[in-house]
Amino acid sequence: PPPLSLFLRHLLLIGMSISAESSCTSDEDCSLNGVCRSGGCECIAAWKGPNCASLSLLPASKQSGYHPVDDGKNTSAWGGGVLKGDDGKFHMFPSEMINHCGVNSWTYNSRIVHAVSDTSLGKFERREEIFPVFSHEGNLARDPKTGDYVMYFTAHMPSGRPECSCTDGSTTDPTCGDTYAEGATYMSTASSPNGPWSDPVLVVSVGERMSDTNLAPVILEDGSLIGMWRIWRDPPNNGSECRLVTASNWKDVSTYEFHEQPLFPEIQPDLPGMMGTEDPFLYRDIEGNFHAVFHNMSPCPDYPCPEVAGGHAFSRDGKTNWTYTGIAFNSTIRWDDGSVYSFLRRERPHLIFAEDGTTIIGLSTAVAYGGEAGDATYTFVQPVAVSQH
């Protein structure tokens, strides 16, 4: 018989689930998160559902993630990817709102900080500021050849903006909350997650739109780059579109090409009830296929639509035939004490991987729990199944 594929060996190694409801003719019908066998999808442990498009999320600790308290007052954070450094620690780079304000103050008060935990799914503690106000939405990539870390983020340098002052993690300042022009996209590099980080280099200025691009790439072995960026569509087609970005050399910003074609036309904002997608996170599976998880806003007749919070898509080569597979997670959490809680918003997803770089073990997201103004937030980390029970 022919040798087993890497992916099938991965299934046998970490466990699989068989969806009795599925009907498939190819692995694409299983979202490339499983294999199609005898007309049914066999999903790897991290994914479930008829087409292996829903994350197998496990009960979580209420202490997990990054929820800072300063001077006895809540400080709001917004997302942040997690990776393991050579020091054995787990490193997160969340956006954080200074002066105890909520996420609605982001264009006034957001900065990027470095937080550390002894475990991937544990409690993260702030170590230092990486980029000052205004900086936001850092996405990390790593050069597989050199090992260098690259952070892409939105910033306005220097900020030149007034700062809001609040009390307990929510934006109670009446002068704050209108969104400023967000800023350009920059990149910075470091040989270690502990830094030092290089002076930021401008990747793209988005001109009069000034929309944050959410740039999220994968760097390939030859130094080229494949990723996604987004554009915010103004009314009447209010919403966000994810698009392709490529570069022949990630270090040379002159080689970056921001493609204009929407990747998911079936849910683009000019369709009724659709607000599109944003906050992409890209990764490759054990066979080299490309996947994305993102903040899903479709269908969403009345934002923020927490029941459709996360989406998934895949592509064989990262450049063509991106396929949207549907809702990957929502905003309802089961805690490890058996109780259930529904967040007001859940956005900015980043997957967390085991040391092999391909086995998914967790999901980091920005979550909103309320506060006086409804925008108090923190970065929540939730475990994902790594074997079938």
Side-chain angles (χ1 to χ4, degrees):
L4 292 173
S5 70
L6 285 172
F7 197 67
L8 187 52
R9 289 203 300 270
H10 190 58
L11 283 169
L12 295 172
L13 178 64
I14 67 173
M16 65 182 73
S17 64
I18 301 175
S19 175
E21 303 173 20
S22 66
S23 176
C24 61
T25 59
S26 70
D27 292 350
E28 279 82 355
D29 294 333
C30 305
S31 308
L32 298 184
N33 288 323
V35 294
C36 179
R37 300 179 72 183
S38 303
C41 287
E42 298 182 357
C43 308
I44 61 172
W47 296 92
K48 63 182 181 179
N51 62 338
C52 306
S54 298
L55 277 170
S56 296
L57 296 169
L58 299 177
S61 167
K62 294 179 181 179
Q63 304 303 314
S64 66
Y66 181 64
H67 192 170
V69 176
D70 297 293
D71 301 322
K73 302 175 183 179
N74 291 326
T75 293
S76 280
W78 193 243
V82 176
L83 54 85
K84 188 175 183 180
D86 295 337
D87 57 2
K89 301 286 187 179
F90 291 86
H91 301 262
M92 178 189 288
F93 296 89
S95 302
E96 179 184 275
M97 313 310 133
I98 65 170
N99 300 338
H100 306 292
C101 290
V103 72
N104 289 351
S105 72
W106 69 284
T107 55
Y108 299 77
N109 283 31
S110 179
R111 64 176 182 170
I112 296 174
V113 300
H114 176 206
V116 178
S117 173
D118 289 332
T119 63
S120 60
L121 303 172
K123 182 178 181 179
F124 285 76
E125 301 285 351
R126 183 194 309 117
R127 181 171 285 181
E128 73 269 330
E129 177 183 88
I130 303 298
F131 299 108
V133 175
F134 161 71
S135 59
H136 195 63
E137 296 175 337
N139 278 326
L140 286 173
R142 195 172 189 186
D143 187 321
K145 185 174 182 179
T146 67
D148 288 340
Y149 297 87
V150 192
M151 186 186 303
Y152 295 85
F153 60 100
T154 297
H156 193 280
M157 300 181 180
S159 173
R161 303 178 178 189
E163 295 177 357
C164 305
S165 294
C166 308
T167 57
D168 198 26
S170 184
T171 310
T172 53
D173 185 342
T175 67
C176 197
D178 292 332
T179 300
Y180 260 110
E182 287 92 335
T185 298
Y186 291 83
M187 70 175 177
S188 175
T189 61
S191 60
S192 162
N194 293 308
W197 291 88
S198 67
D199 291 338
V201 174
L202 178 66
V203 177
V204 60
S205 174
V206 287
E208 295 180 357
R209 287 184 290 105
M210 295 302 286
S211 171
D212 51 327
T213 65
N214 295 170
L215 177 58
V218 169
I219 296 173
L220 305 182
E221 290 76 6
D222 63 358
S224 63
L225 175 148
I226 296 175
M228 288 186 188
W229 70 293
R230 72 83 176 258
I231 181 174
W232 188 265
R233 297 273 295 272
D234 291 328
N237 302 324
N238 193 39
S240 177
E241 286 181 359
C242 282
R243 301 177 176 183
L244 183 69
V245 57
T246 56
S248 59
N249 178 2
W250 71 263
K251 297 179 182 179
D252 183 355
V253 296
S254 69
T255 69
Y256 283 65
E257 181 178 358
F258 289 81
H259 301 254
E260 295 292 334
Q261 187 70 22
L263 291 176
F264 312 118
E266 67 270 33
I267 54 170
Q268 66 187 49
D270 54 0
L271 297 175
M274 302 294 181
M275 290 186 66
T277 57
E278 63 174 3
D279 297 341
F281 171 83
L282 267 68
Y283 66 100
R284 298 178 77 185
D285 65 28
I286 196 170
E287 289 202 326
N289 301 310
F290 288 76
H291 296 259
V293 291
F294 37 76
H295 176 217
N296 182 62
M297 299 182 289
S298 298
C300 186
D302 186 19
Y303 180 83
C305 303
E307 67 278 6
V308 298
H312 169 265
F314 68 85
S315 166
R316 286 285 189 183
D317 62 7
K319 294 182 178 180
T320 60
N321 299 319
W322 274 99
T323 302
Y324 170 77
T325 62
I327 300 167
F329 59 89
N330 60 29
S331 298
T332 298
I333 308 300
R334 183 172 295 277
W335 300 116
D336 55 11
D337 63 7
S339 61
V340 175
Y341 183 80
S342 294
F343 289 106
L344 301 176
R345 296 166 62 183
R346 191 178 192 186
E347 305 177 18
R348 297 292 299 161
H350 294 81
L351 293 176
I352 305 170
F353 296 93
E355 290 196 39
D356 63 10
T358 56
T359 301
I360 300 168
I361 61 172
L363 172 68
S364 169
T365 51
V367 292
Y369 61 90
E372 184 176 343
D375 68 331
T377 64
Y378 71 100
T379 300
F380 169 60
V381 173
Q382 184 171 10
V384 172
V386 295
S387 63
Q388 301 301 331
H389 300 283

